[in-house]
Amino acid sequence: MAGPRPVVFSGPSGAGKSTLLKKLLGEFDGIFGFSVSLCNRVCNVVCSDYHYVKREDMQAGIANGDFIESAEFSGNIYGTSKAAVQAVQAQNLICILDIDMQGVKSIKKTNLNPIYISIQPPSMDVLEKRLRARKTETEESLQKRLQAALIEVEFSKEAGQFDVVIVNDNLDEAYEKLKAALLQVTFTSCFHS
Ligand SMILES: Nc1ncnc2c1ncn2[C@@H]1O[C@H](COP(=O)(O)OP(=O)(O)OP(=O)(O)O)[C@@H](O)[C@H]1O
């Protein structure tokens, strides 16, 4: 895909990906663009993170190879289409993808060639406290996220999975590390691509 090299953000739910991305997109308006994921779930509230697509249309698109990653959770299909990434790249923006571990594995099989950044919590205890304080989860969904987080944490430790791993303890410090890493990796990739 032509255009600037995309950046993949991954890490456990509650690690602070959205918080850091919001700061980044706020500070660097006109540099980064967010690829909006598609989903077949009908939301009761307005979902700014997903665009609604009919289930059968998503299935057809996935079968047709139109998606760079997709997954099914609780009976709903979520995915990132090639068109969504291309639309951001066409504006000469660095496309940001916020995806889970399965998405990272799928993207590694494509020719997208993004920079992979993992955002990690300082500990499982802190992660649980943040998820509880966010008040977005039921006890059941919270436990599911914590279980998934254990696997995501281990995945981030595997050599070669991520270009950069940032532990989000103090938010301002994590944000400074993120900016420094993005600058370094994008600068270095200018000479190696
Ligand atoms: N460094 C930090 N210190 C304290 N609280 C934080 C920090 N970073 C994020 N938070 C808070 O933790 C909660 C989880 O953060 P956030 O929603 O950004 O996580 P996420 O990784 O995007 O999760 P999800 O994958 O579920 O969307 C939020 O309430 C956020 O305000």
Side-chain angles (χ1 to χ4, degrees):
M1 293 185 199
R5 209 174 158 198
V7 180
V8 161
F9 276 78
S10 196
S13 169
K17 301 176 297 293
S18 316
T19 308
L20 287 163
L21 284 176
K22 204 171 155 198
K23 278 171 89 72
L24 193 71
L25 288 150
E27 185 175 347
F28 297 99
D29 185 30
I31 305 257
F32 297 98
F34 201 69
S35 111
V36 179
S37 303
L38 305 181
C39 167
N40 79 283
R41 181 166 58 115
V42 181
C43 300
N44 296 326
V45 291
V46 176
C47 295
S48 57
D49 293 344
Y50 295 99
H51 281 166
Y52 171 74
V53 176
K54 275 196 242 161
R55 185 180 179 85
E56 53 269 33
D57 290 346
M58 278 202 80
Q59 285 169 326
I62 291 164
N64 200 33
D66 298 343
F67 282 72
I68 51 173
E69 59 92 25
S70 63
E72 186 155 356
F73 296 111
S74 311
N76 297 306
I77 310 173
Y78 301 81
T80 306
S81 69
K82 288 179 181 168
V85 176
Q86 279 164 351
V88 176
Q89 288 181 314
Q91 296 172 70
N92 221 19
L93 299 174
I94 297 173
C95 181
I96 291 184
L97 298 103
D98 179 350
I99 49 173
D100 71 356
M101 188 182 79
Q102 294 307 332
V104 169
K105 288 182 180 173
S106 299
I107 286 180
K108 289 199 171 193
K109 293 179 194 149
T110 70
N111 63 355
L112 192 68
N113 188 30
I115 295 156
Y116 293 95
I117 297 185
S118 171
I119 307 296
Q120 291 293 323
S123 69
M124 288 300 290
D125 282 352
V126 171
L127 184 71
E128 182 171 349
K129 281 192 185 110
R130 286 184 189 166
L131 278 173
R132 287 193 186 281
R134 195 172 69 176
K135 296 189 190 305
T136 52
E137 308 307 316
T138 62
E139 188 58 32
E140 193 190 350
S141 71
L142 187 126
Q143 292 304 332
K144 272 192 192 158
R145 280 167 200 258
L146 292 176
Q147 283 300 316
L150 290 171
I151 302 166
E152 296 257 2
V153 169
E154 287 312 308
F155 180 64
S156 74
K157 292 178 188 162
E158 286 178 22
Q161 295 294 6
F162 291 95
D163 296 296
V164 185
V165 177
I166 293 170
V167 176
N168 176 21
D169 191 351
N170 175 286
L171 184 61
D172 290 336
E173 285 174 18
Y175 182 58
E176 288 309 313
K177 281 183 197 156
L178 173 63
K179 284 198 289 185
L182 277 172
L183 195 67
Q184 202 208 345
V185 182
T186 44
F187 184 75
T188 314
S189 65
C190 287
F191 295 96
H192 289 92
S193 56

